Amino acid sequence: MTDWTMIYWQGPLEASTAALRELGWHGPDEAPAALPDRRIGGYMPEAGCLPRTFDGTAYVAVAANAPISTPPGLQPAGPELARTLLGSF
């Protein structure tokens, strides 16, 4: 069995989508990534959907089975706030 950890980030929409793309996510009207990152078990938002943005800040999450550094331009989002805004899986 694999242990998954939810990682939550917040920041500008452009930085959020760039970080998710690096992990194998794709946005609306984009082709799926050829080789998604093996550490990732899921994304919020799901592939093909834009991140939720509130007051200019995008919130994203990934389920990962290994540590992932916070991408440039983003900062960790508190899990309680992120779960409230995004839900969980």
Side-chain angles (χ1 to χ4, degrees):
M1 182 171 168
T2 302
D3 290 325
W4 297 100
T5 300
M6 290 298 294
I7 302 169
Y8 301 98
W9 296 313
Q10 65 185 30
L13 179 61
E14 296 79 19
S16 299
T17 55
L20 290 174
R21 281 187 189 99
E22 289 291 318
L23 299 172
W25 173 91
H26 65 88
D29 301 321
E30 296 176 357
L35 296 171
D37 191 308
R38 292 183 191 176
R39 299 173 295 176
I40 306 304
Y43 314 94
M44 290 182 137
E46 63 187 52
C49 298
L50 286 176
R52 289 191 183 196
T53 304
F54 300 93
D55 295 328
T57 301
Y59 293 85
V60 298
V62 295
N65 62 13
I68 298 177
S69 299
T70 302
L74 298 180
Q75 56 187 303
E80 290 181 24
L81 173 62
R83 277 189 215 108
T84 300
L85 296 174
L86 298 173
S88 186
F89 61 126

Coordinates of all heavy atoms in Angstrom, one line a residue:
M1 N 0.8 -1.2 0.0 CA 0.0 0.0 0.0 C 0.9 1.2 0.0 O 1.9 1.3 0.6 CB -0.9 0.0 1.2 CG -1.8 1.1 1.3 SD -3.0 0.9 2.6 CE -3.7 2.5 2.7
T2 N 0.5 2.3 -0.7 CA 1.2 3.5 -0.8 C 0.6 4.5 0.2 O -0.6 4.7 0.2 CB 1.1 4.1 -2.2 OG1 1.7 3.1 -3.1 CG2 1.9 5.3 -2.4
D3 N 1.5 5.2 0.9 CA 1.0 6.3 1.8 C 1.0 7.6 1.0 O 2.0 8.0 0.4 CB 1.9 6.4 3.0 CG 1.8 5.3 3.9 OD1 0.6 4.8 4.1 OD2 2.8 4.9 4.5
W4 N -0.1 8.2 0.9 CA -0.3 9.5 0.2 C -0.4 10.6 1.2 O -1.0 10.5 2.2 CB -1.5 9.5 -0.7 CG -1.5 8.4 -1.7 CD1 -2.1 7.2 -1.7 CD2 -0.7 8.5 -3.0 NE1 -1.7 6.5 -2.8 CE2 -0.9 7.3 -3.6 CE3 0.1 9.5 -3.6 CZ2 -0.4 7.0 -4.9 CZ3 0.6 9.2 -4.8 CH2 0.4 7.9 -5.4
T5 N 0.3 11.7 0.8 CA 0.2 13.0 1.6 C -0.3 14.1 0.8 O 0.1 14.2 -0.4 CB 1.6 13.4 2.1 OG1 2.2 12.3 2.9 CG2 1.6 14.6 2.9
M6 N -1.3 14.8 1.3 CA -1.8 16.0 0.6 C -0.9 17.2 0.8 O -0.5 17.5 1.9 CB -3.2 16.4 1.1 CG -4.3 15.3 0.7 SD -4.5 15.2 -1.1 CE -5.1 16.8 -1.6
I7 N -0.5 17.8 -0.3 CA 0.4 19.0 -0.3 C -0.4 20.2 -0.9 O -1.0 20.0 -2.0 CB 1.7 18.8 -1.1 CG1 2.4 17.6 -0.5 CG2 2.5 20.0 -1.1 CD1 3.5 17.1 -1.4
Y8 N -0.6 21.2 -0.1 CA -1.4 22.4 -0.5 C -0.5 23.6 -0.8 O 0.4 23.9 0.0 CB -2.4 22.7 0.6 CG -3.3 21.6 0.9 CD1 -3.1 20.8 2.0 CD2 -4.5 21.4 0.1 CE1 -4.0 19.8 2.3 CE2 -5.4 20.4 0.5 CZ -5.1 19.6 1.6 OH -6.0 18.6 1.9
W9 N -0.7 24.3 -1.9 CA 0.0 25.5 -2.2 C -1.0 26.6 -2.6 O -2.1 26.4 -3.0 CB 0.9 25.3 -3.4 CG 2.0 24.3 -3.2 CD1 2.8 24.2 -2.2 CD2 2.4 23.2 -4.1 NE1 3.7 23.2 -2.3 CE2 3.5 22.5 -3.5 CE3 1.9 22.8 -5.3 CZ2 4.1 21.5 -4.1 CZ3 2.5 21.7 -5.9 CH2 3.6 21.1 -5.3
Q10 N -0.5 27.8 -2.5 CA -1.3 29.0 -2.9 C -0.3 30.0 -3.5 O 0.9 30.0 -3.2 CB -2.0 29.6 -1.7 CG -1.0 30.2 -0.7 CD -1.8 30.7 0.6 OE1 -2.8 30.2 0.9 NE2 -1.2 31.7 1.2
G11 N -0.9 30.8 -4.4 CA -0.1 31.8 -5.1 C -0.8 32.3 -6.4 O -1.9 31.9 -6.6
P12 N 0.0 33.0 -7.2 CA -0.6 33.5 -8.5 C -1.0 32.3 -9.4 O -0.4 31.2 -9.4 CB 0.5 34.2 -9.1 CG 1.5 34.5 -8.0 CD 1.3 33.4 -7.0
L13 N -2.1 32.5 -10.2 CA -2.6 31.5 -11.1 C -1.5 31.0 -12.0 O -1.4 29.8 -12.2 CB -3.8 32.0 -11.9 CG -4.4 31.1 -12.9 CD1 -5.0 29.9 -12.2 CD2 -5.5 31.8 -13.7
E14 N -0.7 31.9 -12.5 CA 0.4 31.4 -13.5 C 1.4 30.5 -12.8 O 1.8 29.5 -13.4 CB 1.1 32.6 -14.1 CG 0.2 33.5 -14.9 CD -0.7 34.5 -14.1 OE1 -0.4 34.7 -12.9 OE2 -1.7 35.0 -14.6
A15 N 1.8 30.8 -11.6 CA 2.7 30.0 -10.9 C 2.1 28.6 -10.5 O 2.7 27.6 -10.6 CB 3.2 30.7 -9.6
S16 N 0.8 28.7 -10.2 CA 0.1 27.4 -9.8 C 0.0 26.5 -10.9 O 0.3 25.3 -10.8 CB -1.3 27.8 -9.2 OG -1.2 28.6 -8.1
T17 N -0.4 27.0 -12.1 CA -0.6 26.1 -13.3 C 0.8 25.6 -13.7 O 0.9 24.5 -14.2 CB -1.4 26.8 -14.4 OG1 -0.7 28.0 -14.7 CG2 -2.8 27.0 -14.0
A18 N 1.8 26.5 -13.7 CA 3.2 26.0 -14.1 C 3.6 24.9 -13.2 O 4.2 23.9 -13.7 CB 4.1 27.2 -14.0
A19 N 3.4 25.0 -11.9 CA 3.9 24.0 -11.0 C 3.1 22.7 -11.2 O 3.7 21.6 -11.2 CB 3.6 24.4 -9.5
L20 N 1.8 22.8 -11.4 CA 1.0 21.5 -11.7 C 1.5 20.9 -13.0 O 1.6 19.7 -13.1 CB -0.5 21.9 -11.7 CG -1.1 22.2 -10.4 CD1 -2.5 22.6 -10.6 CD2 -1.0 21.1 -9.4
R21 N 1.7 21.7 -14.0 CA 2.2 21.2 -15.3 C 3.5 20.4 -15.2 O 3.7 19.4 -15.8 CB 2.4 22.3 -16.4 CG 1.1 22.7 -17.0 CD 1.3 23.7 -18.1 NE 0.0 24.3 -18.5 CZ -0.4 25.5 -18.1 NH1 0.3 26.2 -17.4 NH2 -1.6 25.9 -18.5
E22 N 4.4 20.9 -14.3 CA 5.7 20.2 -14.1 C 5.4 18.8 -13.5 O 6.3 17.9 -13.6 CB 6.5 21.0 -13.1 CG 7.1 22.2 -13.7 CD 8.2 21.9 -14.8 OE1 9.0 21.0 -14.6 OE2 8.1 22.6 -15.8
L23 N 4.3 18.6 -12.9 CA 4.0 17.3 -12.2 C 3.1 16.4 -13.1 O 2.6 15.3 -12.7 CB 3.3 17.6 -10.9 CG 4.2 18.3 -9.9 CD1 3.4 18.7 -8.6 CD2 5.4 17.5 -9.5
G24 N 2.7 16.9 -14.3 CA 2.0 16.1 -15.2 C 0.5 16.5 -15.4 O -0.2 15.8 -16.2
W25 N 0.1 17.5 -14.8 CA -1.3 18.0 -14.9 C -1.4 18.8 -16.3 O -0.4 19.2 -16.8 CB -1.5 19.0 -13.8 CG -2.8 19.8 -13.8 CD1 -4.0 19.4 -13.2 CD2 -3.0 21.1 -14.3 NE1 -4.9 20.4 -13.4 CE2 -4.3 21.5 -14.0 CE3 -2.1 22.0 -15.0 CZ2 -4.8 22.7 -14.4 CZ3 -2.7 23.2 -15.3 CH2 -4.0 23.6 -15.1
H26 N -2.6 18.9 -16.8 CA -2.8 19.7 -18.0 C -4.0 20.6 -17.8 O -5.0 20.2 -17.1 CB -2.9 18.9 -19.2 CG -4.1 18.0 -19.3 ND1 -5.3 18.4 -19.8 CD2 -4.3 16.7 -18.9 CE1 -6.2 17.4 -19.7 NE2 -5.6 16.4 -19.1
G27 N -4.0 21.8 -18.4 CA -5.1 22.7 -18.3 C -6.2 22.4 -19.3 O -6.1 21.5 -20.1
P28 N -7.3 23.2 -19.3 CA -8.3 23.1 -20.3 C -7.8 23.2 -21.7 O -6.9 24.1 -22.0 CB -9.3 24.2 -20.0 CG -9.0 24.6 -18.6 CD -7.5 24.3 -18.4
D29 N -8.3 22.4 -22.6 CA -7.9 22.5 -24.0 C -6.4 22.2 -24.3 O -5.9 22.6 -25.3 CB -8.3 23.8 -24.7 CG -9.8 24.1 -24.5 OD1 -10.6 23.1 -24.7 OD2 -10.2 25.2 -24.3
E30 N -5.7 21.6 -23.3 CA -4.3 21.2 -23.5 C -4.3 19.7 -23.6 O -5.1 19.0 -23.0 CB -3.5 21.7 -22.3 CG -3.4 23.1 -22.2 CD -2.7 23.6 -20.9 OE1 -2.2 22.7 -20.1 OE2 -2.5 24.8 -20.7
A31 N -3.3 19.2 -24.3 CA -3.1 17.7 -24.4 C -2.6 17.2 -23.0 O -1.8 17.9 -22.3 CB -2.1 17.4 -25.5
P32 N -3.0 16.0 -22.6 CA -2.5 15.4 -21.4 C -0.9 15.2 -21.5 O -0.4 15.1 -22.6 CB -3.1 14.1 -21.3 CG -4.4 14.2 -22.2 CD -4.0 15.2 -23.3
A33 N -0.3 15.3 -20.3 CA 1.1 15.1 -20.2 C 1.5 13.7 -20.7 O 0.7 12.7 -20.4 CB 1.6 15.3 -18.8
A34 N 2.6 13.5 -21.4 CA 3.0 12.2 -21.9 C 3.4 11.3 -20.7 O 3.0 10.1 -20.7 CB 4.2 12.4 -22.9
L35 N 4.2 11.8 -19.8 CA 4.6 11.0 -18.6 C 4.4 11.8 -17.3 O 5.2 12.6 -16.9 CB 6.1 10.7 -18.8 CG 6.5 9.9 -20.0 CD1 8.0 9.8 -20.1 CD2 5.9 8.5 -19.8
P36 N 3.3 11.6 -16.7 CA 3.1 12.3 -15.4 C 4.1 11.8 -14.4 O 4.6 10.7 -14.4 CB 1.7 11.9 -15.0 CG 1.2 10.8 -15.9 CD 2.2 10.7 -17.1
D37 N 4.4 12.7 -13.4 CA 5.3 12.4 -12.3 C 4.8 11.2 -11.5 O 3.6 11.2 -11.1 CB 5.4 13.7 -11.5 CG 6.5 13.6 -10.5 OD1 6.6 12.6 -9.7 OD2 7.3 14.6 -10.4
R38 N 5.6 10.2 -11.3 CA 5.2 9.0 -10.6 C 4.9 9.2 -9.1 O 4.2 8.4 -8.5 CB 6.3 8.0 -10.7 CG 6.5 7.5 -12.1 CD 7.5 6.4 -12.1 NE 7.9 6.1 -13.5 CZ 8.8 5.3 -13.9 NH1 9.5 4.6 -13.0 NH2 9.0 5.1 -15.1
R39 N 5.3 10.4 -8.6 CA 5.1 10.6 -7.2 C 3.6 11.1 -6.9 O 3.2 11.2 -5.8 CB 6.0 11.7 -6.7 CG 7.5 11.4 -6.7 CD 8.3 12.5 -6.4 NE 8.2 13.6 -7.4 CZ 8.7 14.8 -7.3 NH1 9.5 15.1 -6.3 NH2 8.5 15.7 -8.3
I40 N 2.9 11.5 -8.0 CA 1.6 12.1 -7.9 C 0.5 11.1 -8.1 O 0.4 10.4 -9.0 CB 1.5 13.2 -8.9 CG1 2.6 14.2 -8.8 CG2 0.1 14.0 -8.8 CD1 2.8 14.8 -7.4
G41 N -0.5 11.1 -7.1 CA -1.6 10.3 -7.2 C -2.9 11.0 -7.6 O -3.9 10.4 -7.9
G42 N -2.8 12.3 -7.6 CA -4.0 13.1 -8.0 C -3.7 14.6 -7.8 O -2.7 15.0 -7.1
Y43 N -4.5 15.4 -8.4 CA -4.4 16.9 -8.4 C -5.7 17.5 -8.0 O -6.8 17.0 -8.3 CB -4.1 17.4 -9.8 CG -3.0 16.7 -10.6 CD1 -3.3 15.7 -11.5 CD2 -1.7 17.0 -10.4 CE1 -2.4 15.1 -12.2 CE2 -0.7 16.4 -11.1 CZ -1.0 15.4 -12.0 OH -0.1 14.8 -12.8
M44 N -5.6 18.7 -7.4 CA -6.8 19.5 -7.3 C -6.4 20.9 -7.8 O -5.5 21.5 -7.2 CB -7.2 19.6 -5.8 CG -7.8 18.3 -5.3 SD -8.3 18.5 -3.6 CE -9.9 17.7 -3.7
P45 N -6.9 21.4 -8.8 CA -8.0 20.8 -9.6 C -7.6 19.6 -10.4 O -6.4 19.4 -10.6 CB -8.4 22.0 -10.5 CG -7.1 22.6 -10.8 CD -6.3 22.5 -9.5
E46 N -8.6 18.9 -10.8 CA -8.3 17.7 -11.6 C -7.8 18.2 -13.0 O -8.0 19.3 -13.4 CB -9.5 16.8 -11.8 CG -10.6 17.5 -12.5 CD -11.9 16.7 -12.5 OE1 -12.4 16.2 -11.5 OE2 -12.5 16.5 -13.7
A47 N -7.0 17.3 -13.7 CA -6.5 17.7 -15.0 C -7.6 18.1 -15.9 O -8.7 17.6 -15.9 CB -5.8 16.5 -15.6
G48 N -7.4 19.2 -16.6 CA -8.4 19.7 -17.5 C -9.2 20.9 -17.0 O -10.0 21.5 -17.7
C49 N -9.0 21.2 -15.7 CA -9.8 22.2 -15.0 C -8.8 23.3 -14.4 O -7.7 22.9 -14.1 CB -10.6 21.7 -13.9 SG -11.8 20.5 -14.4
L50 N -9.2 24.5 -14.4 CA -8.4 25.6 -13.8 C -8.4 25.6 -12.3 O -9.5 25.2 -11.7 CB -8.8 26.9 -14.4 CG -8.5 27.2 -15.8 CD1 -9.1 28.6 -16.2 CD2 -7.0 27.3 -16.0
P51 N -7.4 26.0 -11.7 CA -7.4 26.1 -10.2 C -8.4 27.1 -9.7 O -8.8 28.1 -10.4 CB -6.0 26.6 -9.9 CG -5.1 26.2 -11.0 CD -6.0 26.3 -12.2
R52 N -8.9 26.8 -8.5 CA -9.8 27.8 -7.9 C -9.0 29.0 -7.4 O -8.0 28.9 -6.8 CB -10.5 27.2 -6.7 CG -11.5 26.1 -7.1 CD -12.4 25.7 -5.9 NE -13.2 24.7 -6.4 CZ -14.3 24.3 -5.7 NH1 -14.6 24.8 -4.6 NH2 -15.1 23.3 -6.2
T53 N -9.6 30.2 -7.7 CA -8.9 31.4 -7.4 C -9.8 32.3 -6.6 O -11.0 32.5 -7.0 CB -8.4 32.1 -8.7 OG1 -7.6 31.2 -9.5 CG2 -7.6 33.4 -8.4
F54 N -9.3 32.8 -5.5 CA -10.1 33.7 -4.6 C -9.3 34.9 -4.4 O -8.1 34.8 -3.9 CB -10.4 33.0 -3.3 CG -11.2 31.8 -3.5 CD1 -10.6 30.5 -3.6 CD2 -12.6 31.8 -3.6 CE1 -11.3 29.4 -3.7 CE2 -13.4 30.6 -3.7 CZ -12.7 29.4 -3.8
D55 N -9.8 36.1 -4.7 CA -9.2 37.4 -4.5 C -7.8 37.4 -5.1 O -6.8 37.9 -4.5 CB -9.1 37.7 -3.0 CG -10.4 38.0 -2.4 OD1 -11.3 38.5 -3.1 OD2 -10.6 37.7 -1.2
G56 N -7.6 36.8 -6.3 CA -6.4 36.8 -7.0 C -5.4 35.7 -6.6 O -4.3 35.6 -7.1
T57 N -5.7 34.9 -5.6 CA -4.8 33.8 -5.2 C -5.4 32.5 -5.6 O -6.6 32.2 -5.3 CB -4.7 33.8 -3.6 OG1 -4.1 35.1 -3.3 CG2 -3.7 32.7 -3.2
A58 N -4.6 31.7 -6.3 CA -5.0 30.3 -6.7 C -4.6 29.3 -5.6 O -3.5 29.4 -5.0 CB -4.4 30.0 -8.0
Y59 N -5.5 28.3 -5.4 CA -5.2 27.3 -4.4 C -5.2 25.9 -5.2 O -6.1 25.6 -5.9 CB -6.3 27.3 -3.4 CG -6.2 28.5 -2.5 CD1 -6.9 29.7 -2.9 CD2 -5.5 28.5 -1.3 CE1 -6.8 30.8 -2.2 CE2 -5.5 29.7 -0.6 CZ -6.1 30.8 -1.0 OH -6.1 32.0 -0.2
V60 N -4.1 25.2 -4.9 CA -4.0 23.9 -5.6 C -3.5 22.9 -4.6 O -2.9 23.2 -3.5 CB -3.0 23.9 -6.8 CG1 -3.5 24.9 -7.9 CG2 -1.6 24.3 -6.4
A61 N -3.7 21.6 -4.9 CA -3.2 20.5 -4.0 C -2.8 19.3 -4.9 O -3.3 19.1 -6.0 CB -4.3 20.1 -3.1
V62 N -1.8 18.6 -4.4 CA -1.5 17.3 -5.0 C -1.4 16.2 -3.9 O -1.1 16.5 -2.8 CB -0.1 17.4 -5.7 CG1 -0.2 18.3 -6.9 CG2 1.0 17.8 -4.8
A63 N -1.7 15.0 -4.3 CA -1.5 13.9 -3.4 C -0.2 13.3 -3.9 O -0.1 12.9 -5.1 CB -2.7 12.9 -3.5
A64 N 0.7 13.2 -3.0 CA 2.1 12.7 -3.4 C 2.5 11.6 -2.4 O 2.2 11.6 -1.3 CB 3.1 13.8 -3.3
N65 N 3.3 10.7 -3.0 CA 3.9 9.6 -2.2 C 5.3 9.8 -1.8 O 6.0 8.9 -1.3 CB 3.6 8.2 -2.8 CG 4.4 8.1 -4.2 OD1 5.2 8.9 -4.5 ND2 4.0 7.1 -4.9
A66 N 5.8 11.0 -2.1 CA 7.2 11.4 -1.8 C 7.2 12.9 -1.6 O 6.3 13.6 -2.1 CB 8.1 11.0 -2.9
P67 N 8.2 13.4 -0.9 CA 8.3 14.9 -0.7 C 8.4 15.6 -2.0 O 9.0 15.2 -2.9 CB 9.5 15.1 0.2 CG 9.8 13.7 0.8 CD 9.3 12.7 -0.2
I68 N 7.8 16.8 -2.0 CA 7.9 17.7 -3.2 C 8.2 19.1 -2.6 O 7.4 19.6 -1.8 CB 6.6 17.7 -4.0 CG1 6.4 16.3 -4.6 CG2 6.7 18.7 -5.1 CD1 5.1 16.1 -5.4
S69 N 9.2 19.7 -3.1 CA 9.5 21.1 -2.7 C 8.5 22.0 -3.2 O 7.8 21.9 -4.3 CB 10.9 21.5 -3.3 OG 11.9 20.6 -2.8
T70 N 8.3 23.1 -2.4 CA 7.3 24.1 -2.9 C 7.9 24.8 -4.1 O 9.0 25.3 -4.1 CB 7.1 25.2 -1.7 OG1 6.7 24.5 -0.6 CG2 6.1 26.3 -2.1
P71 N 7.1 24.8 -5.2 CA 7.5 25.4 -6.4 C 7.8 26.9 -6.3 O 7.2 27.6 -5.5 CB 6.4 25.1 -7.4 CG 5.6 24.0 -6.8 CD 5.8 24.2 -5.3
P72 N 8.6 27.5 -7.2 CA 8.8 28.9 -7.3 C 7.5 29.7 -7.4 O 6.7 29.3 -8.2 CB 9.8 29.1 -8.5 CG 10.3 27.8 -8.8 CD 9.3 26.8 -8.3
G73 N 7.4 30.8 -6.7 CA 6.2 31.6 -6.8 C 5.0 31.2 -6.0 O 4.0 31.9 -5.9
L74 N 5.1 30.0 -5.3 CA 4.0 29.6 -4.5 C 4.5 29.5 -3.1 O 5.7 29.5 -2.8 CB 3.6 28.2 -5.0 CG 3.0 28.1 -6.4 CD1 2.6 26.6 -6.7 CD2 1.9 29.0 -6.6
Q75 N 3.5 29.4 -2.2 CA 3.8 29.2 -0.8 C 2.9 28.1 -0.2 O 1.8 27.9 -0.8 CB 3.8 30.5 0.0 CG 2.4 31.2 -0.1 CD 2.5 32.5 0.6 OE1 2.8 32.6 1.7 NE2 2.2 33.6 -0.2
P76 N 3.2 27.4 0.8 CA 2.3 26.4 1.4 C 1.0 27.1 1.8 O 1.0 28.2 2.3 CB 3.1 25.9 2.6 CG 4.5 26.2 2.4 CD 4.5 27.5 1.6
A77 N -0.1 26.4 1.6 CA -1.4 26.8 2.1 C -1.8 26.0 3.3 O -1.5 24.8 3.3 CB -2.4 26.6 0.9
G78 N -2.3 26.7 4.2 CA -2.8 25.9 5.4 C -3.8 24.8 5.0 O -4.7 25.1 4.3
P79 N -3.6 23.6 5.5 CA -4.5 22.5 5.1 C -5.9 22.8 5.5 O -6.8 22.4 4.7 CB -3.9 21.3 5.9 CG -2.9 21.8 6.8 CD -2.6 23.2 6.5
E80 N -6.3 23.4 6.6 CA -7.7 23.6 6.9 C -8.3 24.6 5.9 O -9.4 24.3 5.4 CB -7.8 24.2 8.3 CG -7.5 23.1 9.4 CD -7.6 23.6 10.8 OE1 -8.4 24.6 11.0 OE2 -7.0 23.0 11.7
L81 N -7.6 25.7 5.6 CA -8.2 26.6 4.6 C -8.3 25.9 3.2 O -9.3 26.0 2.6 CB -7.3 27.8 4.5 CG -7.6 28.8 3.4 CD1 -9.0 29.4 3.6 CD2 -6.6 29.9 3.3
A82 N -7.2 25.2 2.8 CA -7.2 24.6 1.5 C -8.3 23.5 1.4 O -9.0 23.4 0.4 CB -5.9 23.9 1.2
R83 N -8.5 22.7 2.5 CA -9.6 21.7 2.4 C -11.0 22.4 2.3 O -11.9 21.9 1.6 CB -9.6 20.8 3.7 CG -8.6 19.7 3.6 CD -8.7 18.7 4.7 NE -7.4 18.3 5.1 CZ -6.7 18.6 6.1 NH1 -7.2 19.3 7.1 NH2 -5.5 18.1 6.3
T84 N -11.1 23.5 3.0 CA -12.4 24.2 2.9 C -12.6 24.8 1.5 O -13.8 24.7 1.0 CB -12.4 25.4 3.9 OG1 -12.2 24.9 5.2 CG2 -13.7 26.2 3.8
L85 N -11.6 25.3 0.9 CA -11.7 25.9 -0.5 C -11.8 24.8 -1.6 O -12.5 25.0 -2.6 CB -10.6 26.8 -0.7 CG -10.5 28.1 0.2 CD1 -9.2 28.8 -0.1 CD2 -11.7 28.9 0.0
L86 N -11.0 23.7 -1.4 CA -10.8 22.8 -2.5 C -11.6 21.5 -2.3 O -11.8 20.7 -3.2 CB -9.4 22.4 -2.7 CG -8.4 23.6 -3.0 CD1 -7.0 23.1 -3.0 CD2 -8.8 24.1 -4.4
G87 N -11.8 21.1 -1.0 CA -12.3 19.8 -0.7 C -11.1 18.9 -0.5 O -10.0 19.3 -0.3
S88 N -11.3 17.6 -0.5 CA -10.3 16.6 -0.3 C -10.6 15.3 -1.1 O -11.7 15.1 -1.5 CB -10.1 16.3 1.2 OG -9.0 15.5 1.4
F89 N -9.6 14.5 -1.2 CA -9.8 13.2 -1.8 C -8.9 12.2 -1.3 O -8.2 12.4 -0.4 CB -9.7 13.2 -3.4 CG -8.4 13.6 -3.9 CD1 -7.8 12.8 -4.9 CD2 -7.8 14.8 -3.6 CE1 -6.5 13.2 -5.4 CE2 -6.6 15.2 -4.2 CZ -6.0 14.4 -5.1

